[in-house]
Amino acid sequence: MHVKTTERKFSIKGLINLLVRGGIAGILIVYILQNVDWQSVVHVLGEIKWKWLILAILSFVMTLGLKMIRWGVLITLIESTQKAIPFQTLMTPFLVGQAVNILLPFRGGEVARFSWLGWKDKSLIVPGALSILLEKWLDFLILSLLSFAFAPLISDWMAFPPILSWGVFAILLAILGIGIWGIRHFKMKTFPFVPEKFRQVLGNDIAQVEFPPFTKKRLARGLLPIGLSLIIWGNMILTNLLLMHAMSYPLNITMAIVVLVFIYVALIPALIPGNLGPFHGAVVLGMSLFEIPVSQSLSFAIVLHGIVTVFPLLFSGLAILFEQWGKI
């Protein structure tokens, strides 16, 4: 009886959480769409330059590939091994994680990613999980740098005093450094944040993993994922620029960066499946700072959202299909 009551409370809590998230997303959608000239939206979408759109898609696909490579590099850094993780080992877990983050209104994709990796190779589950943590810190650090660097170029009310900016950067770097240094003291006795269903599949092998201490050589190798992170963010900015050209918008690198930053910030809460609403609202708000009409910015948001959701879902399905086909 007690168990049933607990499960009921948990389900009600989850339902309320989903309704609140959906309500916020719904408000954003209504706010965005209330003054939209849909004829203009259709006109803009009909005038897309397909060659440049294809280049924007290829740029996004390249970003996915670079993220997989960075994940593999971070895993080898944590494992302290010179042997690279095979690309095919990382591909399906990474793409499945992307798909889960798109389809579900919470960040379950990261758990799915390292858990799927653990099903393929039990020795990689812990390095895979910790590498995702480092990956998020790198992205958050670059996001913060871009936010502070470009805020004064957008609006006076978004500008921060230099001393505050440097203070925040120092805090972020200190937290990142402490986190990385703390890994050297990490000894895997239990792995409590792995769900019990995954633990039953993976067995007790995950409790035997321990990490060697960091060395100067390993720290030097840490420059590679930092460099890859900068290339990844540069490529995402390029995707925005290519799409702007495809839709005959003025090429503005500042606007491309601001839109990217706004999208990343808006997606942090993961309000609703597919991020429908927050994604489009972020693009419209970001482009409004550059006096782009709502119909044009919404057209840009629709196309960009289609690219970043449809292709990961398609690729994840194909990856699962090919992986299962290879086992037949």
Side-chain angles (χ1 to χ4, degrees):
M1 183 70 179
H2 175 70
V3 175
K4 291 183 179 178
T5 303
T6 303
E7 290 178 351
R8 183 166 178 251
K9 288 183 179 179
F10 176 77
S11 62
I12 293 175
K13 180 180 178 181
L15 178 61
I16 293 174
N17 184 32
L18 181 60
L19 290 175
V20 170
R21 290 168 175 259
I24 295 174
I27 292 172
L28 287 172
I29 293 173
V30 172
Y31 175 76
I32 295 168
L33 301 182
Q34 61 181 350
N35 295 318
V36 174
D37 181 0
W38 288 104
Q39 289 185 345
S40 298
V41 173
V42 174
H43 175 74
V44 172
L45 293 176
E47 296 295 323
I48 292 178
K49 301 173 184 176
W50 289 99
K51 291 182 180 180
W52 290 98
L53 176 60
I54 292 173
L55 288 176
I57 293 172
L58 291 176
S59 176
F60 172 71
V61 173
M62 185 181 298
T63 297
L64 291 178
L66 289 170
K67 286 183 176 181
M68 279 186 254
I69 294 172
R70 180 182 63 174
W71 187 31
V73 170
L74 286 171
I75 292 175
T76 58
L77 179 65
I78 292 174
E79 279 198 307
S80 188
T81 177
Q82 298 289 339
K83 185 179 179 181
I85 309 297
F87 193 78
Q88 59 269 26
T89 301
L90 300 173
M91 183 174 63
T92 306
F94 178 85
L95 292 172
V96 167
Q98 294 282 310
V100 171
N101 277 337
I102 292 171
L103 294 174
L104 299 180
F106 53 83
R107 290 293 174 184
E110 314 311 342
V111 176
R113 197 202 315 185
F114 69 74
S115 298
W116 195 293
L117 183 66
W119 283 334
K120 302 182 76 170
D121 187 341
K122 292 180 181 180
S123 66
L124 294 179
I125 183 171
V126 179
L130 292 175
S131 62
I132 292 174
L133 180 62
L134 291 177
E135 172 188 292
K136 298 306 175 186
W137 267 116
L138 287 171
D139 285 337
F140 180 72
L141 186 62
I142 296 176
L143 176 65
S144 302
L145 289 169
L146 290 176
S147 300
F148 284 110
F150 282 85
L153 301 177
I154 304 170
S155 175
D156 292 337
W157 65 268
M158 295 183 68
F160 297 94
I163 188 172
L164 178 60
S165 299
W166 285 110
V168 172
F169 290 152
I171 292 173
L172 289 173
L173 288 172
I175 294 175
L176 177 61
I178 292 172
I180 294 175
W181 185 256
I183 293 176
R184 67 190 293 269
H185 300 292
F186 188 89
K187 296 184 182 300
M188 188 61 190
K189 301 301 182 184
T190 60
F191 207 35
F193 49 90
V194 174
E196 185 61 30
K197 291 183 179 179
F198 295 128
R199 187 183 295 277
Q200 291 173 0
V201 174
L202 297 171
N204 296 323
D205 292 347
I206 62 172
Q208 308 301 322
V209 181
E210 294 186 2
F211 296 103
F214 275 117
T215 62
K216 291 182 179 180
K217 185 176 181 180
R218 290 179 69 200
L219 291 175
R221 287 172 57 194
L223 295 176
L224 180 56
I226 294 174
L228 284 171
S229 298
L230 293 174
I231 295 173
I232 287 168
W233 278 80
N235 203 61
M236 290 191 291
I237 295 169
L238 176 62
T239 301
N240 286 352
L241 288 171
L242 290 170
L243 186 56
M244 287 176 185
H245 191 66
M247 303 182 75
S248 301
Y249 294 173
L251 292 180
N252 188 327
I253 189 169
T254 302
M255 183 167 67
I257 293 173
V258 169
V259 168
L260 179 62
V261 169
F262 274 43
I263 289 173
Y264 258 76
V265 173
L267 299 189
I268 291 175
L271 294 174
I272 195 170
N275 296 307
L276 185 65
F279 186 101
H280 300 77
V283 174
V284 171
L285 179 60
M287 298 185 93
S288 69
L289 299 175
F290 299 87
E291 301 181 352
I292 302 297
V294 174
S295 58
Q296 294 185 19
S297 58
L298 182 58
S299 300
F300 184 90
I302 291 172
V303 178
L304 183 60
H305 184 260
I307 292 173
V308 303
T309 55
V310 171
F311 286 96
L313 291 175
L314 175 63
F315 292 155
S316 65
L318 291 174
I320 294 173
L321 179 63
F322 288 145
E323 187 169 287
Q324 295 302 316
W325 182 52
K327 293 178 180 179
I328 296 176

